[in-house]
Amino acid sequence: MQLDLLSALNVERAARRAAVLVTNLKGGEQRLVREADVAADPLGEALQSRLRAGKSGMVEQDGQSFFLTVQEPPVRLVAIGAVHISQALAPLAKIAGLDVTIIDPRTAFATPERFEGVRLVPDWPDAAFAAQPLDRFTAIAALTHDPKIDDLALAGALRADCFYIGALGSRKSHAARLGRLAEQGFDDAALGRIHAPIGLDIGAVSPAEIAVSILGEIIASLRKKPLRSNAPMQAVGSLA
């Protein structure tokens, strides 16, 4: 690999931005396509599909073969609330390959004994996000039922364009939540990105079942829908 391409890839990696290294298998020429440039690239649809799947692979177009090397940052799950659902969600998400963090300012709940092996941040969401900023490769699950905590997290997630934003609570609670967030300047399009009630509708009852439904919804958002970016990106079908 050319040194300039390697340097450019490292810049994207450090910034937690996705990129694809395109290699022409006939001549060996390589070029780097940054995520923001995917839509305008001649291989845009194939690049989009690979980014969606998070997997490298070969593609053929116009009689030429290319190998697409996908580089994506680790996908993060930030659960707001050291609650029973989070206790079930954290190990499930880790098995699925997500980098899990639990944020809760209530130190009586956010203890290592209750979340062994999980990164805990016993702080308010806005302070935690200042130390570790959110991005669009982050999923947020607001689970405290406490507007003072959840609203801070949801506002931060909307501003950061997180790929998944979900919130626990009844439809009545969510309506009130939308009103509070609207007062902060979020429009209907932004507020429509919040999944509430959180999780897939699988009839979940117990904390463990709700955790499964949340994780399923997160994976669906990651793999089946286009990730948002500053540049428009077309939806594409599944990989061949």
Side-chain angles (χ1 to χ4, degrees):
M1 185 189 302
Q2 297 173 211
L3 184 58
D4 60 333
L5 291 177
L6 179 59
S7 298
L9 269 173
N10 287 336
V11 169
E12 298 307 299
R13 180 183 294 113
R16 281 185 55 84
R17 293 191 294 259
V20 182
L21 182 67
V22 179
T23 303
N24 187 319
L25 295 181
K26 183 177 180 181
E29 299 89 359
Q30 292 185 313
R31 59 188 178 89
L32 181 67
V33 182
R34 294 173 178 81
E35 188 177 10
D37 301 324
V38 164
D41 192 273
L43 295 174
E45 186 170 331
L47 295 170
Q48 185 81 275
S49 294
R50 289 292 169 185
L51 283 171
R52 184 87 45 75
K55 290 184 177 179
S56 302
M58 196 172 74
V59 62
E60 295 190 4
Q61 183 165 306
D62 299 330
Q64 298 187 77
S65 298
F66 303 90
F67 192 83
L68 309 181
T69 304
V70 174
Q71 174 182 280
E72 287 186 337
V75 177
R76 299 189 302 201
L77 166 61
V78 177
I80 309 300
V83 297
H84 288 125
I85 295 173
S86 300
Q87 285 181 295
L89 180 59
L92 289 171
K94 290 178 72 174
I95 290 172
L98 276 62
D99 182 13
V100 180
T101 298
I102 307 289
I103 296 174
D104 197 327
R106 304 169 299 183
T107 53
F109 299 121
T111 65
E113 293 76 18
R114 299 184 69 231
F115 292 91
E116 186 176 356
V118 179
R119 185 184 304 111
L120 289 173
V121 181
D123 208 339
W124 290 86
D126 51 348
F129 298 163
Q132 186 171 22
L134 303 175
D135 56 39
R136 73 186 200 83
F137 285 93
T138 303
I140 290 283
L143 305 173
T144 72
H145 275 306
D146 185 338
K148 296 192 302 296
I149 302 173
D150 285 347
D151 285 6
L152 285 173
L154 295 171
L158 289 170
R159 294 189 184 101
D161 202 17
C162 292
F163 79 88
Y164 174 85
I165 305 170
L168 197 65
S170 67
R171 296 188 187 281
K172 181 179 179 181
S173 297
H174 186 56
R177 174 189 295 136
L178 294 180
R180 294 191 299 272
L181 291 171
E183 291 176 356
Q184 296 184 40
F186 294 105
D187 60 20
D188 289 344
L191 297 176
R193 298 193 54 225
I194 300 174
H195 295 260
I198 194 171
L200 298 175
D201 185 9
I202 58 173
V205 176
S206 69
E209 291 172 349
I210 295 171
V212 169
S213 74
I214 294 171
L215 183 58
E217 193 168 54
I218 290 171
I219 293 172
S221 295
L222 178 66
R223 300 301 184 204
K224 294 181 67 176
K225 296 179 180 178
L227 292 173
R228 291 167 181 267
S229 69
N230 292 331
M233 300 170 76
Q234 294 180 329
V236 296
S238 59
L239 288 173

